[in-house]
């Protein structure tokens, strides 16, 4: 879903119709200034963070903190799978506890009682 050449060309054609050919250079200059200012602010923030963190700044894995790597669908799917896994584990624990209670009820004297007709 990147911005490829065809999309940029379509945006430029639309801009020519909306703004007119005489105003496009002025708006392009304003847009360029905006991009430069944003880059300058980001670099300033990065330098300030580096100054405040000191040598620990170089130890941080910044790629791990990149929000573009997080897919909301995967996060929700993993959370649902984890909830399902926890529910299955809880049900398994309940079945084991129930089987233990039944076994203790059947063998009160320490020996298991079997039904001879059932086997």
């Amino acid at each position: 879903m990147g911005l490829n050449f065809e999309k940029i060309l379509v945006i430029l054609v639309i801009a020519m119709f909306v703004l007119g050919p005489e105003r496009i250079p002025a708006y392009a200059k304003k847009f360029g200034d905006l991009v430069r200012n944003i880059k300058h602010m980001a670099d300033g923030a990065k330098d300030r963070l580096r100054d405040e963190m000191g040598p620990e700044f170089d130890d941080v894995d910044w790629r791990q903190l990149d929000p573009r790597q997080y897919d909301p669908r995967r996060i929700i799917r993993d959370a649902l799978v984890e909830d399902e896994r926890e529910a299955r584990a809880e049900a398994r624990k309940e079945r084991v506890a129930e089987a233990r209670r039944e076994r203790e009820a059947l063998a009160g004297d320490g020996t298991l009682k079997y039904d001879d007709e059932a086997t």
Side-chain angles (χ1 to χ4, degrees):
M1 182 163 167
L3 196 61
N4 56 21
F5 180 73
E6 291 86 17
K7 291 179 183 178
I8 292 173
L9 186 63
V10 169
I11 291 171
L12 288 175
V13 169
I14 292 172
M16 284 190 76
F17 283 113
V18 172
L19 300 175
E22 63 277 348
R23 290 190 287 176
I24 286 182
Y27 281 101
K29 183 180 180 331
K30 288 180 183 179
F31 182 70
D33 292 341
L34 174 70
V35 170
R36 276 190 292 281
N37 286 339
I38 290 173
K39 183 176 181 342
H40 179 69
M41 286 189 298
D43 289 341
K46 185 177 177 182
D47 292 339
R48 182 173 177 192
L49 187 61
R50 178 177 278 125
D51 290 342
E52 289 182 12
M53 287 183 67
E56 296 173 2
F57 182 84
D58 296 327
D59 295 338
V60 176
D61 182 15
W62 296 105
R63 287 177 287 157
Q64 181 184 8
L65 302 174
D66 185 2
R68 293 175 291 185
Q69 73 177 346
Y70 298 109
D71 181 15
R73 295 171 295 196
R74 182 180 54 82
I75 293 170
I76 291 170
R77 184 180 62 239
D78 291 348
L80 293 174
V81 167
E82 183 177 321
D83 289 346
E84 183 179 319
R85 197 176 299 137
E86 289 174 1
R88 274 192 253 137
E90 186 65 32
R92 191 175 321 123
K93 286 179 186 177
E94 289 178 19
R95 286 194 308 270
V96 167
E98 179 67 26
R100 190 172 292 138
R101 283 191 295 273
E102 287 178 5
R103 188 175 35 187
E104 290 171 357
L106 289 175
D109 59 354
T111 59
L112 293 176
K113 297 179 183 177
Y114 294 100
D115 184 5
D116 292 331
E117 295 176 13
T119 56

